[in-house]
Amino acid sequence: MQLNIAHLYPDLLNIYGDRGNITAFIKRCRWRNIGVNVHEINTGEVINPEFYDFYFIGGGQDQQQIAVSHELRAQKPFLREAMDNNAVFLAICGGYQLLGHYYRPHKGEELKGISLLDAYTVAGNTRYIGNVTVGTALPLGKEKTLTGFENHSGLTYLEGNTRPLGVVITGNGNNGGDKTEGAHEKNVFGTYLHGSLLPKNPHFTDYLIRLSLERNYGQVSLEEINDELEWAAHKKAVKRKY
Ligand code: GLN
């Protein structure tokens, strides 16, 4: 089996090691002999929505988000078509904010998002920095926690059919108020969890791989691999206080 991955604007949105998500996704495919092509999509390149199974976009400061928001708006029809065709998206923090309707910083222009998620973000007065653990209802198997690290001042609110990734156990999540963290609709997933997220959440990585494969191959089951190290990292991170 073969997957095609689009890594969106890695030169602009890749803070706190978010590139580690792509590395974890690729490794867990290759360890199972699943072929993977990774294309970096940079400013000015047009996306072919037929080609890609999995899209990744990382986090970034407001400045980089301004540049990417203009780019994403030009790509909106292609990315909407990809979402409608069940492509899988993982968006972290600043990238997550831009998949919603808008990100309104304290100063400067409101950054228009591409509304793949029914969510919006406004600048807050506190920067949330710390470890986060979330209880998720996603069908990830016996482990129901996701763990990572947050560093954002944006406050995100979900609307309509967009559901949270989970409920905050430790940390602040979307807005430090409604106990939600992240968002998902169809196969589009957004989260504030840096870390990077996927290396120490192998169950979520495998879930995203399965969804990405199902587009072209129907229902698949993944070969078990030794996740001792990944779960040791997960459990250690879950124990961390905020
Ligand atoms: N600039 C946005 C915020 O502070 C996103 C930050 C990030 O991607 N870590 O909320």
Side-chain angles (χ1 to χ4, degrees):
M1 296 187 284
Q2 173 88 16
L3 285 175
N4 297 314
I5 297 176
H7 186 178
L8 302 178
Y9 314 111
D11 56 332
L12 291 166
L13 291 182
N14 176 42
I15 44 174
Y16 316 121
D18 286 339
R19 186 182 289 270
N21 292 296
I22 289 271
T23 306
F25 188 99
I26 293 170
K27 284 285 180 196
R28 294 185 71 80
C29 285
R30 289 190 174 144
W31 289 336
R32 295 173 166 116
N33 297 318
I34 298 166
V36 187
N37 289 312
V38 187
H39 292 176
E40 291 196 352
I41 305 290
N42 294 302
T43 309
E45 292 174 30
V46 177
I47 291 169
N48 168 4
E50 307 282 315
F51 184 70
Y52 296 105
D53 306 294
F54 178 69
Y55 295 79
F56 176 75
I57 183 166
Q61 299 305 348
D62 292 17
Q63 207 45 46
Q64 287 77 17
Q65 284 180 280
I66 293 169
V68 173
S69 70
H70 294 303
E71 274 297 311
L72 282 177
R73 242 177 294 159
Q75 305 277 8
K76 181 173 175 179
F78 309 121
L79 294 173
R80 163 55 68 183
E81 185 183 331
M83 174 182 184
D84 292 344
N85 294 336
N86 297 316
V88 180
F89 289 73
L90 177 63
I92 311 288
C93 203
Y96 162 36
Q97 294 170 341
L98 295 176
L99 292 200
H101 302 309
Y102 59 81
Y103 167 50
R104 193 176 294 150
H106 276 306
K107 291 197 292 299
E109 65 176 292
E110 176 180 280
L111 305 187
K112 288 262 170 286
I114 56 172
S115 300
L116 298 190
L117 293 168
D118 195 350
Y120 64 90
T121 303
V122 292
N125 297 316
T126 312
R127 179 156 281 274
Y128 295 132
I129 301 178
N131 297 300
V132 179
T133 295
V134 169
T136 182
L138 289 175
L140 305 184
K142 65 181 181 3
E143 293 292 343
K144 300 291 180 206
T145 50
L146 293 171
T147 187
F149 185 85
E150 65 183 339
N151 181 335
H152 61 102
S153 58
L155 307 174
T156 298
Y157 298 91
L158 309 183
E159 299 181 314
N161 298 325
T162 292
R163 312 304 310 144
L165 210 48
V167 175
V168 170
I169 297 167
T170 309
N172 293 281
N174 281 329
N175 52 54
D178 64 13
K179 301 302 268 180
T180 64
E181 199 303 304
H184 76 97
E185 187 162 342
K186 287 182 72 113
N187 285 345
V188 178
F189 299 87
T191 177
Y192 275 111
L193 299 186
H194 293 287
S196 42
L197 172 68
L198 295 184
K200 53 179 171 298
N201 293 280
H203 51 335
F204 188 41
T205 314
D206 287 352
Y207 179 61
L208 296 176
I209 292 171
R210 278 203 313 277
L211 288 176
S212 302
L213 288 167
E214 280 171 11
R215 283 183 81 237
N216 294 314
Y217 303 103
Q219 196 76 26
V220 295
S221 62
L222 295 180
E223 178 196 336
E224 287 300 310
I225 47 184
N226 177 342
D227 288 335
E228 211 175 307
L229 212 55
E230 289 81 352
W231 284 114
H234 181 96
K235 291 186 167 59
K236 194 166 169 74
V238 166
K239 286 202 185 89
R240 283 192 189 134
K241 297 273 170 281
Y242 190 65

